């Protein structure tokens, strides 16, 4: 049962229906009854509950209780806690991440540690047989407990069928067996995490809160895929100059399995969205000429093909995209979502407001260090300008509210309800 004046007296079932419609109308560029609010609380829940980030991360029931309490107090249209889990990574000895209590202090925040797991000389092997290279080269480099996979024979030999079976004793060496066992343990941990997500979703639905727009499959721009977990930023920037054709060919290679997986995932789960976080395509990373050649073509194709499959790409345009906004206007109208971090949000509305639903607007720094009056004034500007005509979901500029002052969160939510009514 809601406490705010706009929803007072409504049942959880009625609130769920209204909130779901409000979000869906915004996603489809329609004008809902009022601007929907998404609170990606993240580590703020630990601060809210007086616990460490590690306890929030490791104690699902406690974290869920805090999420429910937070949502019922502030009454957004949707809310979420932490985005990911350390458990499968810890089992596999993941070399690319650090977590509160695991490589970081208990009060630390999740960190990605970039490595060059793929060398420039690996391109030929990667392009010749990406699956074989991934299993026998990449996984042993990226995960300590999977080092044994480097002793596998070429994977294509398994196509020898019955004739290959007598060779299995030579394949099943202790290092390989240990790697397979570790992979099995990681699957078990991932299944537990999936069960927790299912329980959290069900509990939030029962309280009247639908899943956030970020819920769904996940994919990356092919350029980012090659950079984030394979070549690293230094390596990928050298590839642009030293081996551009191989890089372009690799982007085509990694596009297809991502699309296949995202479409299969959405069909299996019934979810309709695919979250695409972008990392290297913003204004400061490459020239427009390089963007047009190496970044935009495959990113655009990915979004178009997801739309054709009935899936909504929810794209986090990290960094500043002010110089690139006119490219985004090429996307199918009303079929994608743009979540903007540091772009000029008013320019975003002007250039792509008729193309995509816009998410973002509230500066994390303002919630952390501003006054309630400053928060209220900025919220009013967002509602009046970016929210004009619909197609806008109010949320923070990153999907994390760590360090936010609760009085500022209250001022923000209340002001959105006041100024965001159509």
């Amino acid at each position: 049962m809601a406490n705010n004046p706009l929803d007072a007296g409504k049942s959880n079932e009625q609130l769920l229906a209204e909130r779901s419609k409000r979000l869906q109308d915004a996603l489809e560029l329609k004008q809902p009854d009022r601007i929907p609010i998404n609170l990606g609380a993240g580590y703020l829940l630990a601060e809210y509950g007086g616990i460490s980030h590690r306890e929030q991360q490791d104690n699902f029931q406690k974290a869920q209780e805090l999420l429910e309490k937070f949502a019922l107090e502030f009454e957004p249209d949707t809310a979420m806690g932490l985005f990911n889990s350390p458990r499968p990574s810890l089992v596999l000895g993941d070399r690319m991440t650090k977590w509160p209590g695991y490589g970081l202090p208990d009060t630390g925040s999740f960190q990605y540690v970039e490595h060059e797991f793929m060398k420039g000389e690996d391109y030929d092997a990667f392009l010749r047989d990406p699956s074989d290279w991934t299993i026998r080269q990449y996984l042993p480099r990226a995960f300590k407990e999977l080092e044994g996979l480097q002793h596998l024979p070429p994977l294509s030999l398994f196509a020898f069928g019955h004739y290959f079976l007598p060779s299995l004793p030579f394949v099943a060496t202790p290092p390989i067996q240990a790697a397979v066992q570790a992979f099995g343990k990681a699957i078990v941990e991932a299944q537990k995490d999936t069960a927790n997500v299912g329980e959290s979703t069900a509990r939030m639905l029962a309280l009247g809160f639908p899943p956030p727009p970020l819920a769904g499959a996940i994919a990356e721009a092919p350029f980012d895929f090659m950079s984030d977990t394979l070549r690293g930023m230094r390596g990928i920037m050298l590839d642009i100059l030293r081996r551009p054709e191989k890089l372009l060919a690799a982007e085509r290679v990694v596009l297809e399995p991502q699309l296949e997986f995202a479409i299969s995932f959405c069909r299996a789960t019934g979810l309709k969205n695919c979250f695409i976080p972008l990392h290297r395509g913003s204004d400061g990373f490459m020239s427009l000429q390089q963007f047009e050649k190496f970044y935009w073509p495959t990113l655009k194709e990915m979004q178009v093909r997801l739309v054709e499959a009935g899936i909504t790409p929810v794209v986090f345009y990290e960094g500043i995209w002010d110089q690139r906004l006119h490219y985004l206007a090429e996307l199918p109208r009303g079929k994608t979502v743009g979540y903007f971090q540091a772009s000029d949000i008013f320019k975003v509305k002007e250039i792509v407001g008729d193309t995509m639903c816009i998410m973002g607007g509230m500066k994390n720094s303002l919630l952390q260090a501003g006054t309630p009056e400053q928060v209220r004034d900025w919220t009013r500007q967002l509602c009046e300008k970016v929210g004009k005509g619909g197609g806008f979901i109010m949320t923070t500029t990153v999907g994390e509210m760590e360090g936010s002052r609760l009085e500022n969160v209250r001022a923000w939510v209340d002001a959105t309800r006041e100024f965001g009514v159509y």
Side-chain angles (χ1 to χ4, degrees), residues 201-243:
T201 301
R203 287 168 63 169
M204 294 301 285
L205 287 170
L207 293 175
F209 299 101
L214 273 60
I218 186 168
E220 280 199 313
F223 185 94
D224 289 341
F225 189 107
M226 293 303 302
S227 173
D228 284 357
T229 58
L230 296 178
R231 294 289 287 130
M233 187 172 73
R234 179 182 180 276
I236 204 78
M237 294 307 174
L238 290 174
D239 293 342
I240 288 177
L241 302 175
R242 294 180 178 177
R243 48 185 74 85

Side-chain angles (χ1 to χ4, degrees), residues 216-217 259-273 305-311:
L259 284 170
E260 180 180 344
F261 176 76
I263 292 169
S264 298
F265 180 92
C266 289
R267 287 175 178 169
T269 62
L271 297 169
K272 303 287 187 183
N273 297 344
R305 289 174 63 181
L306 286 171
V307 168
E308 290 173 348
I311 298 168

Side-chain angles (χ1 to χ4, degrees), residues 49-80:
I51 62 174
S52 70
H53 292 179
R54 180 177 182 175
E55 184 176 355
Q56 179 190 0
Q57 166 190 274
D58 292 349
N59 188 334
F60 164 72
Q61 292 298 336
K62 181 65 175 179
Q64 179 62 29
E65 290 170 6
L66 289 173
L67 175 60
E68 293 173 12
K69 181 180 177 183
F70 182 82
L72 290 171
E73 178 176 345
F74 291 98
E75 298 182 296
D77 292 285
T78 185
M80 64 180 291

Side-chain angles (χ1 to χ4, degrees), residues 122-416:
D122 288 332
Y123 265 99
D124 288 339
F126 177 81
L127 292 172
R128 182 172 59 251
D129 192 337
S131 296
D132 181 88
W133 180 86
T134 297
I135 292 175
R136 298 200 299 136
Q137 300 297 324
Y138 171 74
L139 292 180
R141 296 173 186 174
F143 300 93
K144 183 178 184 297
E145 300 303 322
L146 298 182
E147 289 177 352
L149 297 180
Q150 65 187 301
H151 301 294
L152 283 170
L155 297 184
S156 58
L157 287 179
F158 286 91
F160 205 26
H162 166 77
Y163 297 102
F164 183 69
L165 296 183
S167 301
L168 286 180
F170 300 97
V171 173
T173 62
I176 293 175
Q177 291 185 49
V180 172
Q181 290 169 359
F183 199 73
K185 293 176 182 176
I187 291 174
V188 171
E189 293 302 316
Q191 289 174 326
K192 293 177 183 176
D193 288 338
T194 298
N196 287 342
V197 170
E199 180 181 339
S200 177
T201 301
R203 287 168 63 169
M204 294 301 285
L205 287 170
L207 293 175
F209 299 101
L214 273 60
I218 186 168
E220 280 199 313
F223 185 94
D224 289 341
F225 189 107
M226 293 303 302
S227 173
D228 284 357
T229 58
L230 296 178
R231 294 289 287 130
M233 187 172 73
R234 179 182 180 276
I236 204 78
M237 294 307 174
L238 290 174
D239 293 342
I240 288 177
L241 302 175
R242 294 180 178 177
R243 48 185 74 85
E245 297 311 314
K246 290 183 178 180
L247 171 57
L248 290 170
E251 289 186 43
R252 302 302 311 181
V253 166
V254 301
L255 172 64
E256 296 302 327
Q258 288 197 90
L259 284 170
E260 180 180 344
F261 176 76
I263 292 169
S264 298
F265 180 92
C266 289
R267 287 175 178 169
T269 62
L271 297 169
K272 303 287 187 183
N273 297 344
C274 179
F275 179 50
I276 307 176
L278 304 183
H279 300 130
R280 310 295 194 208
S282 58
D283 290 356
F285 275 105
M286 63 181 71
S287 68
L288 284 175
Q289 183 179 12
Q290 291 168 334
F291 177 82
E292 290 176 347
K293 181 175 182 179
F294 294 100
Y295 203 91
W296 180 238
T298 46
L299 174 59
K300 178 182 178 181
E301 180 178 343
M302 172 178 278
Q303 295 193 60
V304 169
R305 289 174 63 181
L306 286 171
V307 168
E308 290 173 348
I311 298 168
T312 300
V314 181
V315 185
F316 182 39
Y317 294 98
E318 188 174 36
I320 299 173
W321 280 69
D322 292 351
Q323 298 173 14
R324 289 146 165 72
L325 292 175
H326 64 280
Y327 294 94
L328 310 189
E330 301 171 5
L331 294 169
R333 184 182 183 280
K335 299 295 184 179
T336 75
V337 179
Y339 186 174
F340 292 90
Q341 180 194 10
S343 302
D344 182 337
I345 197 70
F346 304 113
K347 188 174 183 180
V348 170
K349 178 68 173 182
E350 176 186 346
I351 296 178
V352 299
D354 291 333
T355 301
M356 64 181 62
C357 171
I358 298 169
M359 288 182 62
M362 177 47 65
K363 304 172 184 178
N364 288 72
S365 59
L366 195 57
L367 292 179
Q368 293 164 347
T371 66
E373 292 74 20
Q374 290 172 324
V375 169
R376 176 179 168 83
D377 181 65
W378 180 247
T379 304
R380 177 185 57 77
Q381 293 183 58
L382 292 173
C383 290
E384 292 176 353
K385 298 176 182 178
V386 187
K388 185 178 181 180
F392 175 53
I393 296 175
M394 179 73 80
T395 191
T396 47
T397 51
V398 296
E400 167 67 60
M401 293 171 63
E402 180 182 357
S404 297
R405 296 176 178 174
L406 293 180
E407 62 267 29
N408 286 344
V409 176
R410 170 55 63 197
W412 173 38
V413 172
D414 288 347
T416 301

Side-chain angles (χ1 to χ4, degrees), residues 2-9 15 19 34 74-75 410 414 417:
N3 297 313
N4 73 76
L6 293 177
D7 294 327
L15 289 170
R19 288 166 177 159
R34 62 180 190 260
F74 291 98
E75 298 182 296
R410 170 55 63 197
D414 288 347
R417 290 201 187 97

